[in-house]
Each structure stands twice: as structure tokens, then as C-alpha cells.
Amino acid sequence: MDEIKIFAPATIANISCGFDVLGCCLDTLGDEMIVRKSSVKGVRITKIIGEDLPLDTEKNVAGVAALALLKNIKEEYGFEIEIYKNIKPGSGVGSSAASAAGVVFAINELLNKPFTKLELVEFAREGERLACGSPIADNVAPAIFGGFTLVKSTNPLQIVELPSFKGLYATIIHPQIEIKTEDSRSILPRKIDLSLAVKQSANLGSLIHALHTNDYFLFSESLTDYIVEPHRSKLIPDFDKVKSNALKAGALGCGISGSGPSIFTFSKNIQTAYNVQGAINKVYEKNGIAHHTYVTKINIEGVKVL
Ligand code: ADP
């Protein structure tokens, strides 16, 4: 095989009580990429459709992630990359992670899979280092493993694969505003109250138990963030109203995706996910805030061959 076309999924990171550790993979929202072997050594990005992003290998997360992988093989040939972008950069649903995860998955397939998924996450997070200054793994891990993942440790990298509910859907609302990553980081407190840390860790533990025991009620009860959301939600217009409308429409939970501005909600089935979409659309339609919404099931496969 000399060429492969893949789907590179969007992901939700910072799932409520799982700040910086818990993420999940989405299904219908994502980019497409074509990666092909070339007789010319090195990595070239030959086409980007949909967004204005750098073609320069060293400035594009896909190029950087591919180079990180290539350092670990005896290079006999090079690779060309085409990126068909659907995930808007800076939207909070892992735009850079999709490109980084997608390219390393594709090259691994073209090489007959010499690398494990964990190794692919290692390469992909070098792309994240370019996008945000540190080699975070909480978007690239679910993009590569699929389903829900927990970043147990970043050094050494340890990823825990978690089960997902059958039929779980996410509704995403992306208000068309820009939040600078530095602003969403700088708004966070440096120190937190011990009682909040206790509540947060209890929720993370019970959320993971809920995934293992298929307990929707406990999952819903655990999707509360006492530490980050109270601060970051101030940067997102009408966050509280969107959340209360989503919960009233039957969502199991609602929170900020990544560092925003996208908001995620989870629902037990597709019909509820669409009801939630209608309910949250109303908030921004009333206030005239431009936005996009998406309904997608949870993708348990991760990046996939098309
Ligand atoms: P999101 O908030 O949606 O997760 P990120 O903040 O992860 O988006 O990534 C956006 C940043 O990464 C932007 O500065 C963008 O220019 C840069 N970038 C470089 N290459 C890519 C790529 N292939 N796809 C998306 N963003 C990229």
C-alpha cells in the first residue's frame, strides 16, 4: 500500500472533573487526510483545504508529528500529506490533535504497523507541543485509542483506555468567538481549596466507575467540575443558560470542551442529543451569537481508514 485516506476525529478534552486527563473521541466531526509514500525522503504537506494553515512541515502539527515518527525508522522514502480540514483551529475540539494523530496513524498503516498506539500518541503529542507549547496528550490519546481515555501520566506517558456506553451521543455547540489559550489558562487559580480537590477527585473516581459499570445515573451525577468550569465559563457567552437548557432537555451533563469556546453535552441516545441541540441553539439564536452545533456518537475506534 502506497497511499491511504483516513478520518481524523475531533475530540473532547478536559471532560468536567477530568481536567487535563480525561478525553473522548467523536465520530462524525473530523478531518480527512491522504498520506502517500514518496521516493523523495522527508515530509511534505502538499495540500490543505478548508483552513488557512501553514504548508511548512515544521510549522504544521501534522508535519512535526510525522517527523517525530520518522526519527524512529530507517527512512527509505518520504511522505506527502494532504489535509482536508473540517475542525476549526482554536475551537476546543482538538483541531491540531486530529492532524497530529491522523498523520502518525496513517504512516504507521503504510509501514505495516511497526508502532503501538501508545508510541503513536508519543509522536502525535510532539505536534501538540507546536500548537500549544507543551506535549499534551489529552486530545491525541482519545483520537488514537478511540472512546474515553485517561492520561495517567505524561512522563513517562501512560494512557488508560476506558469503556464507553453503547449509544452515547455528544452534542457540541461552538460559539464563533475566539478565546486565547493563554487567557483560558491565566484565568485559572494557582491554588485550590482542599475541599474542592476532594469533591473533584470523588467525581472523577465515580465517573470512571460509572463507565465500567454502565451506570448512566452515576455518570451524569459525576459530570461536575468544581475547579475549572466556574472560572472558564465566564469567558463563554451565556454558558450557564446553555448548560441549564441542555440539562432540562435531558443531557446527562454539560461542560467546556478543551479550553473552549466549544461546549459539550452527553446524551443517552440520538433523539435526546437532537433535543439538546434544539434547546441550546435557542439560547444563541435569541442573543444573536453566531454558532455551529454538531450531534455525533462517541467513536470507539479513533482514527479510521476510509
Ligand atoms: P483546538 O482548540 O481546536 O484544539 P488547537 O488550539 O489544538 O485547536 O490548535 C490550533 C493551533 O495549532 C493554531 O495555532 C493553528 O495555527 C496550529 N496548527 C498548526 N497546524 C495545524 C493543523 N494541521 N491543524 C490545526 N491547527 C494547526
Side-chain angles (χ1 to χ4, degrees), residues 53 59-62 83 85 88-96 99 131:
L53 289 165
K59 293 197 176 128
N60 193 301
V61 298
I83 307 173
K85 209 79 203 149
K88 220 174 166 35
S91 55
V93 285
S95 180
S96 56
S99 291

Side-chain angles (χ1 to χ4, degrees), residues 169-173 241-252 265-283 285 293-296:
Y169 276 78
T171 306
I172 307 283
I173 186 159
K241 186 73 188 139
V242 168
K243 184 164 180 166
S244 71
N245 271 24
L247 296 177
K248 266 190 225 139
L252 297 165
T265 69
F266 289 120
S267 297
K268 225 174 177 175
N269 54 50
I270 190 166
Q271 191 48 54
T272 311
Y274 279 117
N275 293 344
V276 168
Q277 183 184 34
I280 57 186
N281 267 337
K282 269 193 202 145
V283 180
E285 271 157 22
T293 49
Y294 309 92
V295 172
T296 156

